[in-house]
Amino acid sequence: MGIKDFGKLYKAKLTTLKQIIDSNDGNDVRFGIDISVYIVQHMSRTTKAIDRYHSKPLLPIESLARYCCEVVVKPFIQAGGKVIIVFDGARHPLKGKEHEKRYGDPSAKKARLENLYSRTIPGSRLVDSDVLKEISIIKKELLPLRPDMIWLIMDALKKQFEEKVHFIGAPYEADHQLGYLALNGAIDYVYTIDSDIMTFGVDVIKAIKQDGRCELIKFEDLSCQVAKSMDLDKNNPPILKLDKNFLHHLGCFLGNDYIDRVHGNGKTKAKGFVSLLLVNQNEEGAFLEGAFHTNDAYVKLCIENSIKAKVKDQDDRAKLILHWSKCHAMYTYGPVFVIEPHDGQSLREAITALGNPYNVRLGQMDGSSLPWNETLDGEIGTLVGWNPFEIFREQLYGGVDSMGNTPEYFYKECTIMQRWSRKGVVINKLPLPLFDSKEMYHGSVLDLNAIPINSFALDDIKFFLSSRQVNISQCKEDEIYQHADKIWSTVGETLPPINPLLMRGSGGYVTPELLQAKSQDHSVSWFRENDLLKEIRKINISSLFNDVCFYEIFGKRNGTRKRIVFHLKGGSYDLSQLSATKDLTIKGDITKNLFVFQGSCAPSQRLKDGNKEKFYSTRIVIELKEDGSFKEIRKPPLTSCNCPNGCIVCSHDGALIYMLYTISKLPHELSFDDMARMFPEPVNIILRSPILVKDIWPPLTSDDNIKKKEYKKKKLKSKATARSVGEQNNRDEDLLSGEDFDEIDEYANEMKAIDGVRDASSTEMLKICPIIDEWVEDLKNGKDSNGFDRKGADEYDTKLRKLVEHRNSDLYRATQLKVLERVQKAQNKLKKKNRISIKMLDATVDTREAVKLSIIQKKEIKFKDINLGK
């Protein structure tokens, strides 16, 4: 950006912001910042910001506001300075070619992007990696600044730095507006990475570090250094100082954002060009200070001589010289908002005063308002060929103002950044998205039909799911996108996000505050153990709740219904962790009489190593009638689970519901301890304990296995029951052994019929209440779900202890020695009979002996706190 190779002609001074402020006596030192440069810098380098920019609906880009506050502005404020932020305005007509070179044809790229969005993997809203890569490239090239981004930046800066930061808008280039402010004493230094502004006669700061270190280029030093780097002062002891007009022509020769460099016109040839422009040489051939040709015809001749070697055609040279003159004029007389203070105030005072006490008009950077030359005479030093003022007026309000406001009224709105010069629109924050005509937080509503899911930022997809109470904390990145795809294909368009009033904050992860305490002091008391049993029996859930009630909140989902039974009978819940309260009500609706239950459920029956302490927090909300009896179970998000299926009633929720049902069916005279002994031992406790293999898989001819077969025959009371259980397809079986978020697949197949997939609605619904009723009878009789005598962890411990004691006894060792003797005799007979190699047999015997000896020579076995021999 700026003049090509200009950085090779000078050397910046290394200093700090604190030293710069101290050199000005520390009195109200002001720094002007071309903020647009740093907006582009951050947006082009930050993938998340790019993804959020292209989101639908639009999302605020908070990272951009943080970058402007913490990286761009904060070092100046920490050093004790004040900052004037200047925003670019309308696109400069002379920069049309440069913008096309940088960004290409935006309309063609937008069309290509929409085409790529449509190339999703069949049956999903995801795209493959090649398409995603091309999408990312195009999105990076389509990042024009939006008014809501300007509002967000200004709002963040004002909140953090208050009166130490002020904002000014430019009609076109921020460089020209900053040059105008600096030349008229409103600011002291300009912070930018653009080298154009260095030729305006201002002092520039570059490359600031967070600790305040920076580079300073003072204009006085710059003009001397440029002359020295081109050997213009070698015959003259006093360093030659080049004026702004000379530097502007040098900028056009080297090429810049307004005019391309003629091929070959680099730093080396620049010396010959500038030597022609300098006059009044002394006798030694040295140039005098400030010497510069002012004759337009001569300057044109110098320009023509510098390009004729590469531009052969005379008409092309004439066009280039005319374009040169326009660009040179923009360096000298660039259009700016000229600020005219009231009541004798200085410009420096007026731009930071409350109420903006000044008028605004369009003028040149030097403050003049001379008419622009629109005759194509190519006169050097004037603006020729077009009138940017008229173009700007047309862009700003279409040339017509129905309210009767003067152009100056709009100019002032643009100057104080209430309106943006580029679009002529009022600068406002991004409106909140709507869901069912209700305002929601940004990010809780995403159009995943318009944009592929995996082209959104990962954090935005996480927030989208979290705002619907879908827990994906255990999922990997690819799994999160896949899970979002499943959610969207089933309930995504209809599943509402949590009400904004029930959330904390508007970004990152959400914490739902769906319930609140009834009492004014916010106290909540919880029922546990025997008190809890009494309250469960009062609501009479077993007589009022049935499979029809459960269907209304759950649907069919037979595979997931099976998981409910497995969770309940397999000990996924620990009764001692169950608690409940009647002191909560719905936030915003205190008239509801609720009974809230909380529990912890094991994720599945096949807990993996390192995962045996994991639990999902479940919550069941029951609405009660006026008499305190059961009315209904409330649907999500009130009823919830923090598993990946939190947006629907999952198997963990279902198991807790039927656990309450089971408790109410058991005899009311049972105490909590009696009931805890009747329920299955919690699976987490069982799986942490060593268990004998025969207790898990009894021998086929054992009494336990015979009892199990008889029990199952008894349970299959009719062919209809057998058919309803036996006809479940393989997908249901996979569901039982799959991951928790696989339940959403079954939910999807019930929500809509998909070609080639058997719709779950075609099967007979598996009724859980009769299964639980039978299981209750088993519990009363002390039987488990297989008809065996129910065993707890203590019983497994006792059997294991006895086994260890037996294997450490002399009797067991003697028995093993007799077995070894018999094995050796058998091996000897086998040697003689089959004439097998003695060497191979010895190896076999040695191996068997090693196995047997390992049994005899038992290592020290520690079982809980008991040492059972050596």
Side-chain angles (χ1 to χ4, degrees):
M1 298 177 68
I3 301 171
K4 295 179 176 65
D5 294 333
F6 196 65
K8 299 177 182 179
L9 303 180
Y10 67 87
K11 185 176 181 180
K13 176 185 176 182
L14 298 178
T15 183
T16 66
L17 292 175
K18 185 65 175 172
Q19 290 173 347
I20 292 173
I21 291 174
D22 290 343
S23 67
N24 288 267
D25 298 328
N27 296 324
D28 189 28
V29 180
R30 298 185 181 184
F31 302 90
I33 300 179
D34 179 359
I35 196 67
S36 302
V37 172
Y38 302 100
I39 292 174
V40 172
Q41 194 175 72
H42 175 76
M43 291 299 297
S44 62
R45 296 176 181 177
T46 313
T47 302
K48 182 179 177 180
I50 295 171
D51 289 338
R52 287 182 70 86
Y53 180 92
H54 289 279
S55 175
K56 291 184 182 179
L58 298 176
L59 294 174
I61 307 172
E62 291 93 350
S63 65
L64 174 61
R66 287 194 298 270
Y67 177 80
C68 291
C69 288
E70 299 297 323
V71 178
V72 181
V73 175
K74 190 174 181 179
F76 295 99
I77 305 300
Q78 286 181 328
K82 291 184 178 179
V83 173
I84 308 298
I85 302 289
V86 179
F87 289 89
D88 274 335
R91 295 199 183 281
H92 205 295
L94 282 180
K95 277 195 172 182
K97 189 174 181 181
E98 179 65 20
H99 279 291
E100 184 177 351
K101 186 193 304 181
R102 287 182 190 174
Y103 310 115
D105 182 3
S107 58
K109 290 182 179 179
K110 288 178 182 178
R112 176 59 179 166
L113 191 60
E114 292 298 324
N115 177 263
L116 291 171
Y117 283 163
S118 65
R119 291 169 57 181
T120 54
I121 299 170
S124 79
R125 288 297 306 149
L126 304 171
V127 292
D128 61 37
S129 58
D130 291 337
V131 175
L132 186 62
K133 184 177 181 180
E134 188 175 353
I135 286 174
S136 300
I137 293 172
I138 295 178
K139 286 199 299 187
K140 189 174 181 179
E141 297 171 350
L142 292 172
L143 297 170
L145 187 61
R146 302 193 309 244
D148 65 275
M149 294 163 65
I150 295 175
W151 183 92
L152 191 66
I153 292 168
M154 293 196 300
D155 182 64
L157 288 170
K158 271 295 182 187
K159 286 178 178 177
Q160 186 164 346
F161 303 117
E162 299 177 342
E163 75 283 350
K164 294 179 180 179
V165 176
H166 300 272
F167 308 100
I168 296 288
Y172 285 102
E173 294 287 300
D175 284 352
H176 296 142
Q177 194 70 38
L178 285 164
Y180 163 75
L181 294 173
L183 293 173
N184 288 276
I187 59 176
D188 303 298
Y189 301 92
V190 173
Y191 177 45
T192 182
I193 61 174
D194 199 331
S195 58
D196 284 337
I197 197 170
M198 295 180 189
T199 68
F200 293 175
V202 304
D203 297 337
V204 175
I205 293 173
K206 298 178 68 177
I208 292 181
K209 309 296 182 184
Q210 288 301 294
D211 60 2
R213 287 178 296 152
C214 61
E215 297 178 2
L216 174 63
I217 304 101
K218 296 183 72 71
F219 180 75
E220 183 178 353
D221 298 335
L222 174 73
S223 61
C224 296
Q225 287 186 26
V226 171
K228 187 175 182 179
S229 67
M230 304 179 76
D231 297 328
L232 298 178
D233 65 334
K234 64 180 180 180
N235 296 321
N236 193 7
I239 295 178
L240 178 68
K241 296 180 180 179
L242 305 178
D243 65 6
K244 291 183 289 185
N245 196 17
F246 172 86
L247 292 174
H248 296 162
H249 278 296
L250 177 60
C252 291
F253 179 87
L254 293 173
N256 53 68
D257 292 344
Y258 300 115
I259 184 170
D260 287 334
R261 173 195 289 180
V262 174
H263 183 69
N265 283 358
K267 174 188 172 183
T268 304
K269 290 188 177 181
K271 179 183 176 182
F273 169 70
V274 298
S275 297
L276 294 174
L277 295 178
L278 294 169
V279 295
N280 301 325
Q281 292 175 311
N282 60 20
E283 294 179 357
E284 289 77 23
F287 299 112
L288 300 180
E289 183 175 339
F292 182 80
H293 269 293
T294 56
N295 183 278
D296 291 341
Y298 180 78
V299 173
K300 280 185 180 180
L301 181 62
C302 292
I303 296 171
E304 185 170 9
N305 287 335
S306 71
I307 63 175
K308 66 180 180 181
K310 296 294 181 180
V311 184
K312 304 295 185 182
D313 186 80
Q314 188 173 353
D315 292 337
D316 290 340
R317 286 202 300 272
K319 292 177 182 178
L320 183 57
I321 292 171
L322 179 60
H323 186 61
W324 184 308
S325 66
K326 294 177 183 179
C327 297
H328 178 271
M330 293 309 300
Y331 273 115
T332 309
Y333 307 107
V336 299
F337 287 127
V338 176
I339 297 172
E340 299 175 334
H342 297 166
D343 304 326
Q345 282 186 318
S346 67
L347 177 61
R348 191 181 184 92
E349 295 170 336
I351 63 172
T352 58
L354 293 175
N356 307 305
Y358 51 79
N359 296 326
V360 178
R361 60 178 173 81
L362 273 173
Q364 283 84 23
M365 189 164 50
D366 62 357
S368 64
S369 56
L370 298 173
W372 290 39
N373 180 9
E374 296 181 53
T375 63
L376 301 181
D377 59 6
E379 181 182 354
I380 298 296
T382 60
L383 295 174
V384 295
W386 52 279
N387 189 328
F389 294 169
E390 293 300 328
I391 295 173
F392 175 62
R393 289 190 183 100
E394 185 68 27
Q395 279 185 318
L396 191 59
Y397 57 97
V400 178
D401 176 26
S402 59
M403 301 297 292
N405 293 314
T406 62
E408 286 72 21
Y409 171 82
F410 289 100
Y411 296 160
K412 185 167 183 178
E413 281 192 329
C414 293
T415 303
I416 62 179
M417 291 305 293
Q418 291 180 352
R419 188 183 295 271
W420 192 24
S421 301
R422 182 170 301 176
K423 301 287 185 181
V425 296
V426 175
I427 297 171
N428 282 320
K429 66 179 179 179
L430 195 65
L432 290 170
L434 300 178
F435 189 95
D436 287 341
S437 302
K438 297 178 182 178
E439 288 186 340
M440 297 292 173
Y441 277 133
H442 290 295
S444 62
V445 179
L446 297 177
D447 188 354
L448 305 187
N449 285 330
I451 300 178
I453 293 173
N454 52 343
S455 69
F456 282 90
L458 181 62
D459 285 348
D460 293 332
I461 292 297
K462 285 181 179 179
F463 182 79
F464 175 80
L465 295 175
S466 298
S467 67
R468 287 157 176 77
Q469 290 194 301
V470 180
N471 178 28
I472 34 75
S473 59
Q474 302 298 322
C475 298
K476 298 177 182 177
E477 180 175 337
D478 291 342
E479 292 174 343
I480 292 173
Y481 284 122
Q482 291 167 8
H483 195 47
D485 187 35
K486 293 177 183 178
I487 296 289
W488 185 259
S489 65
T490 55
V491 295
E493 296 185 66
T494 57
L495 180 67
I498 299 169
N499 191 301
L501 295 176
L502 307 179
M503 294 186 195
R504 294 179 189 156
S506 60
Y509 297 104
V510 292
T511 302
E513 293 182 323
L514 304 172
L515 304 173
Q516 65 180 22
K518 288 182 179 179
S519 62
Q520 293 183 349
D521 61 356
H522 302 290
S523 61
V524 177
S525 60
W526 293 89
F527 300 112
R528 291 180 175 85
E529 299 187 352
N530 287 311
D531 293 335
L532 176 61
L533 296 185
K534 291 177 184 178
E535 295 299 325
I536 293 174
R537 289 159 181 163
K538 283 181 184 179
I539 64 175
N540 199 23
I541 187 173
S542 60
S543 61
L544 299 173
F545 178 80
N546 52 39
D547 283 306
V548 175
C549 299
F550 190 61
Y551 174 79
E552 291 177 357
I553 63 170
F554 190 81
K556 291 183 180 178
R557 292 194 281 157
N558 284 344
T560 308
R561 284 171 178 264
K562 283 187 176 183
R563 293 189 77 171
I564 290 174
V565 177
F566 271 78
H567 279 303
L568 191 57
K569 291 185 177 183
S572 291
Y573 275 97
D574 186 346
L575 194 62
S576 64
Q577 295 181 1
L578 187 62
S579 60
T581 182
K582 291 184 177 179
D583 293 339
L584 296 175
T585 187
I586 299 174
K587 188 173 182 179
D589 186 3
I590 60 174
T591 62
K592 300 297 182 183
N593 188 16
L594 303 181
F595 201 175
V596 181
F597 294 86
Q598 291 188 166
S600 298
C601 185
S604 69
Q605 292 291 297
R606 57 183 190 105
L607 298 182
K608 302 173 184 178
D609 289 339
N611 200 27
K612 294 174 184 177
E613 299 297 331
K614 179 181 176 182
F615 291 94
Y616 286 137
S617 297
T618 54
R619 180 179 67 204
I620 302 300
V621 178
I622 296 177
E623 186 175 346
L624 304 177
K625 297 178 182 177
E626 292 182 0
D627 61 359
S629 62
F630 173 83
K631 179 181 179 181
E632 66 173 346
I633 296 174
R634 297 300 299 263
K635 296 180 180 180
L638 293 177
T639 288
S640 67
C641 175
N642 70 341
C643 76
N645 302 302
C647 58
I648 60 175
V649 178
C650 64
S651 60
H652 312 111
D653 292 328
L656 181 53
I657 292 171
Y658 278 102
M659 187 176 189
L660 302 177
Y661 176 88
T662 303
I663 291 172
S664 63
K665 294 284 285 187
L666 288 168
H668 288 194
E669 61 271 14
L670 289 173
S671 68
F672 179 82
D673 291 337
D674 293 336
M675 189 170 292
R677 283 192 291 269
M678 293 180 70
F679 269 84
E681 193 78 31
V683 66
N684 297 70
I685 296 176
I686 293 292
L687 294 182
R688 286 199 301 267
S689 305
I691 302 174
L692 296 177
V693 173
K694 69 177 184 178
D695 285 331
I696 307 300
W697 293 288
L700 293 177
T701 57
S702 67
D703 292 340
D704 280 345
N705 215 18
I706 293 171
K707 288 180 181 178
K708 178 179 178 180
K709 291 178 181 178
E710 291 176 353
Y711 176 83
K712 285 191 172 182
K713 286 179 182 179
K714 218 181 270 187
K715 294 301 180 184
L716 298 176
K717 295 180 178 179
S718 66
K719 291 183 179 180
T721 306
R723 186 166 54 253
S724 68
V725 175
E727 277 189 351
Q728 296 302 315
N729 56 27
N730 292 332
R731 181 175 51 80
D732 291 341
E733 297 301 327
D734 291 340
L735 182 65
L736 293 176
S737 61
E739 298 296 333
D740 292 304
F741 48 76
D742 291 341
E743 291 180 19
I744 205 71
D745 286 332
E746 186 179 38
Y747 190 84
N749 295 328
E750 259 183 43
M751 294 296 294
K752 60 182 180 181
I754 304 174
D755 292 341
V757 178
R758 180 166 172 260
D759 183 44
S761 62
S762 65
T763 64
E764 184 178 352
M765 185 177 73
L766 180 66
K767 295 181 179 179
I768 299 180
C769 284
I771 297 174
I772 301 303
D773 292 342
E774 292 179 358
W775 184 55
V776 168
E777 295 303 315
D778 289 335
L779 293 178
K780 292 177 182 178
N781 297 324
K783 303 291 183 181
D784 64 15
S785 57
N786 290 318
F788 300 160
D789 292 337
R790 197 191 71 79
K791 299 181 182 67
D794 291 341
E795 292 170 271
Y796 289 124
D797 292 350
T798 302
K799 293 183 72 172
L800 186 62
R801 186 182 294 107
K802 289 180 179 179
L803 176 65
V804 172
E805 289 173 350
H806 170 65
R807 290 192 174 182
N808 282 281
S809 66
D810 294 337
L811 177 62
Y812 180 78
R813 291 191 178 94
T815 303
Q816 295 303 311
L817 286 172
K818 287 184 178 181
V819 170
L820 281 175
E821 290 174 0
R822 290 175 184 174
V823 170
Q824 288 173 352
K825 288 180 181 179
Q827 293 294 345
N828 291 333
K829 289 179 180 179
L830 192 62
K831 285 181 188 179
K832 296 175 182 178
K833 184 176 180 180
N834 298 316
R835 298 180 180 178
I836 299 175
S837 169
I838 293 183
K839 186 177 179 180
M840 292 180 63
L841 275 174
D842 287 341
T844 304
V845 173
D846 289 342
T847 303
R848 296 195 178 208
E849 286 179 349
V851 173
K852 296 304 179 181
L853 286 173
S854 68
I855 297 173
I856 296 171
Q857 297 172 355
K858 299 294 291 182
K859 294 182 179 180
E860 183 179 21
I861 297 176
K862 290 185 179 179
F863 186 80
K864 292 187 176 178
D865 297 327
I866 303 173
N867 189 340
L868 299 179
K870 298 181 181 179

